Amino acid sequence: MKTFAFVAAAAAVAFSAPASASTNLVMNGGFETTTLGSSAQFKDNQVAGWTNAKTNGWTGYGYNFLVKSGTADTSGFTSLGGNQDKLYGPNGTNNYANNALTASSPSGGNYMLMDADTNFHGAVSQVINGLTIGQVYTLTFEWAGASWFTTPSTTTHAFDVTFGGVTQSTDTLTVAPQGFSGWQKASMNFTATGAQQTLSFLSQGTPNGLPPTNLLDNVSLTAAVPEPATWAMMMVGFAMVGAASRYRRRSVKAALA
């Protein structure tokens, strides 16, 4: 009976795990909670949960912007130094380009716009709490490569993503002059080495001076759920443990008879 109870309990845990694993540990992963009234480069605490790296660039912060829906190629976005910039897009005037730039994020709201020029870029970060050491976590997000107004040539785009002490990179996208890559979905797995770790995104691209720029939205971090085949193997293992235990009891009874 004890073996049966163990197998039943293990099965209950196994099949209830996917529900709890769906909890997103990232705060404000869609960048909707903000104190900014317009699209602008942000300081700490202006986009809930996220910090913008201090840099030696001319504004003192990474050249990263909170962009509100419908503004990237129309009213544009403002830097801490007072510059007003835009992306090439279908709603622009002097920055018009029929490049299919979407007016908003894939979920219909705000997104992050991050300069990839190594003279200006800086990481956007968040401290993640409540991690289980040794647990594998799946990070998903949506991103795109876009063309800053006045960009005169082809650019490349990628993100370096760091969680704890491990860095992984997205594929590299190539965007034509005045172009837009379209939104891409990315997924990465990381293993937690501490109960609290920092998640950060650093925009990368070439060439410097144009500048290449990346868009980011819908960031989610959840405990990874084993594939159905893995669950099946676990259940087979539980059954084998139960069978071995029953066989051992019968053997002991036969020896005592």
Side-chain angles (χ1 to χ4, degrees):
M1 290 299 292
K2 290 182 179 179
T3 300
F4 176 78
F6 168 76
V7 173
V13 170
F15 287 104
S16 65
S20 59
S22 64
T23 302
N24 184 8
L25 298 178
V26 174
M27 176 184 176
N28 195 25
F31 311 114
E32 298 304 315
T33 304
T34 178
T35 59
L36 293 171
S38 60
S39 298
Q41 186 181 9
F42 74 101
K43 298 180 181 179
D44 296 350
N45 303 318
Q46 291 184 317
V47 180
W50 297 94
T51 59
N52 190 7
K54 304 293 194 302
T55 71
N56 293 323
W58 72 288
T59 61
Y61 285 86
Y63 220 49
N64 302 315
F65 299 77
L66 186 282
V67 177
K68 292 180 175 287
S69 178
T71 63
D73 58 347
T74 55
S75 57
F77 38 92
T78 307
S79 75
L80 294 172
N83 281 4
Q84 187 77 10
D85 292 295
K86 302 177 182 180
L87 297 181
Y88 278 111
N91 298 304
T93 51
N94 59 345
N95 59 317
Y96 171 81
N98 188 23
N99 61 6
L101 175 74
T102 56
S104 62
S105 73
S107 56
N110 302 338
Y111 55 84
M112 194 69 67
L113 184 153
M114 302 172 64
D115 192 340
D117 188 317
T118 57
N119 294 312
F120 294 94
H121 73 176
V124 169
S125 304
Q126 180 173 145
V127 175
I128 307 295
N129 296 295
L131 300 169
T132 300
I133 296 174
Q135 170 70 51
V136 176
Y137 290 89
T138 298
L139 175 72
T140 59
F141 56 93
E142 294 183 86
W143 73 287
S147 297
W148 204 289
F149 179 46
T150 71
T151 296
S153 67
T154 300
T155 50
T156 67
H157 306 257
F159 268 115
D160 285 346
V161 184
T162 302
F163 188 53
V166 177
T167 299
Q168 298 185 44
S169 300
T170 63
D171 293 336
T172 298
L173 303 178
T174 299
V175 176
Q178 302 184 16
F180 174 62
S181 69
W183 288 94
Q184 318 286 314
K185 291 185 177 181
S187 179
M188 301 173 176
N189 285 337
F190 294 90
T191 301
T193 57
Q196 181 187 82
Q197 294 184 184
T198 299
L199 171 67
S200 66
F201 293 84
L202 181 63
S203 186
Q204 301 282 20
T206 60
N208 279 350
L210 294 184
T213 190
N214 296 329
L215 314 182
L216 176 68
D217 193 46
N218 294 330
V219 182
S220 175
L221 183 74
T222 59
V225 179
E227 298 293 331
T230 303
W231 288 123
M233 291 178 65
M234 290 173 61
M235 297 311 298
V236 170
F238 294 147
M240 291 176 67
V241 169
S245 179
R246 289 193 298 273
Y247 175 78
R248 185 170 60 253
R249 287 200 300 272
R250 286 198 299 269
S251 298
V252 171
K253 289 180 181 179
L256 295 175

